[in-house]
Amino acid sequence: MPRTLIAFGDSTFGVLDSFAAQVLLFGANGKYERSIGGQLYEREVDDVCNLGAGRLIASRFPRSELVRAESSGFVSRQAGVRWPEPKLDSAIQLKQARFARQRTTGHVCLLYTVRGNYFAEVDAETLRLGDTFTYAEPIRVPELTREKGLVSIKNDMISGAYAVVTDTLLYVLYGGASRAAQKQVDAYSRANYQYQWSIQLPRTASQFDVVGDRIVVLEVGENDVRQVAVYLLASPPSARRESTTNGAAK
């Protein structure tokens, strides 16, 4: 169950495999090198952020906790997390947390819940959450239902799905959970966490990153067709899409 990618320097990247409870390491050429297990992966890991210098911070569920660990998997600190909305603690699906991809000069991790539209800065040393904010418009947490003993929610619920944080802005890929839902990237100020602007993206947008004045978007279409598109932030809140040919951004 590959869940996220983790950069380890310039020449190595890891793939978090939650089901197998390990991180698989690959070289820059994509060749498999080795696997890392250990104490960190004794419970299911939802996401991992590399702090550098051989240190990681991870989120684990269903107990909704933050964990600081070494790249070897040794855990040095862990702490529970409670979000403002009580219903978010009533089902495993609502506890999933993601780290924004870090494009900051400091080691500040920003954590947000996939279904709750909450985010907060995390002190990487103490694992304490800073003030918690709601991005986009507050949503009404839906009633939970059970199907064959499993808790479920509507798949058209509007929520953030992916985020990138820089020194000045938080970017959130925001939209419905279903593949057909409209997608957009919202920008929020890091100074006061207030909404700044949005750009519309195709419904096929699934992940993105920010590189200078461009947003690089992974788009996954019907029959799992994938391509990378590059959007130029000419003058927010508008954006212009650059051309793509055979899946390669130009």
Side-chain angles (χ1 to χ4, degrees):
M1 188 183 292
R3 194 177 294 272
T4 191
L5 291 173
I6 314 161
F8 291 95
D10 295 332
S11 60
T12 305
F13 68 93
V15 178
L16 170 63
D17 185 342
S18 290
F19 189 77
Q22 63 183 352
V23 168
L24 287 73
L25 297 181
F26 298 85
N29 60 0
K31 183 178 180 180
Y32 170 78
E33 296 180 350
R34 61 191 177 94
S35 300
I36 299 176
Q39 186 182 6
L40 173 62
Y41 309 100
E42 290 177 354
R43 289 198 295 274
E44 189 166 357
V45 176
D46 193 41
D47 198 9
V48 173
C49 179
N50 185 14
L51 299 174
R55 299 186 308 156
L56 305 172
I57 184 171
S59 62
R60 298 196 297 195
F61 67 93
R63 297 184 180 180
S64 191
E65 64 181 354
L66 292 175
V67 179
R68 195 173 70 241
E70 298 176 5
S71 56
S72 63
F74 174 77
V75 173
S76 58
R77 192 179 187 92
Q78 57 192 65
V81 178
R82 287 194 173 275
W83 297 92
E85 173 53 64
K87 285 187 178 181
L88 293 177
D89 284 331
S90 60
I92 290 178
Q93 289 93 332
L94 303 187
K95 289 183 176 179
Q96 293 179 357
R98 296 285 187 268
F99 293 105
R101 299 301 98 181
Q102 305 300 303
R103 300 295 176 263
T104 60
T105 55
H107 294 308
V108 177
C109 290
L110 193 137
L111 185 74
Y112 69 106
T113 56
V114 174
R115 301 292 189 184
N117 290 355
Y118 293 110
F119 65 91
E121 291 187 358
V122 178
D123 186 312
E125 297 302 322
T126 65
L127 300 183
R128 292 178 180 174
L129 294 186
D131 292 335
T132 303
F133 299 88
T134 302
Y135 61 81
E137 296 181 4
I139 60 173
R140 182 181 67 84
V141 179
E143 295 300 321
L144 304 176
T145 60
R146 287 188 176 273
E147 297 179 5
K148 298 181 180 179
L150 300 177
V151 178
S152 64
I153 58 177
K154 296 179 179 179
N155 68 354
D156 59 349
M157 181 176 173
I158 301 298
S159 65
Y162 201 81
V164 175
V165 61
T166 69
D167 288 333
T168 57
L169 292 173
L170 164 70
Y171 301 85
V172 180
L173 179 61
Y174 182 73
S178 65
R179 175 169 287 189
Q182 183 63 51
K183 302 295 195 309
Q184 67 187 48
V185 167
D186 292 351
Y188 302 85
S189 168
R190 288 288 307 281
N192 55 18
Y193 299 100
Q194 297 298 308
Y195 168 82
Q196 300 296 302
W197 46 263
S198 299
I199 64 169
Q200 295 294 319
L201 294 178
R203 290 181 172 86
T204 53
S206 90
Q207 292 184 9
F208 75 101
D209 205 343
V210 178
V211 182
D213 61 352
R214 289 166 167 78
I215 292 181
V216 183
V217 181
L218 172 65
E219 300 177 359
V220 181
E222 296 299 326
N223 299 320
D224 210 31
V225 175
R226 298 164 185 261
Q227 68 175 15
V228 170
V230 178
Y231 296 81
L232 176 64
L233 297 175
S235 57
S238 63
R240 174 174 61 83
R241 178 175 177 172
E242 293 189 338
S243 63
T244 61
T245 304
N246 295 328
K250 290 193 172 182

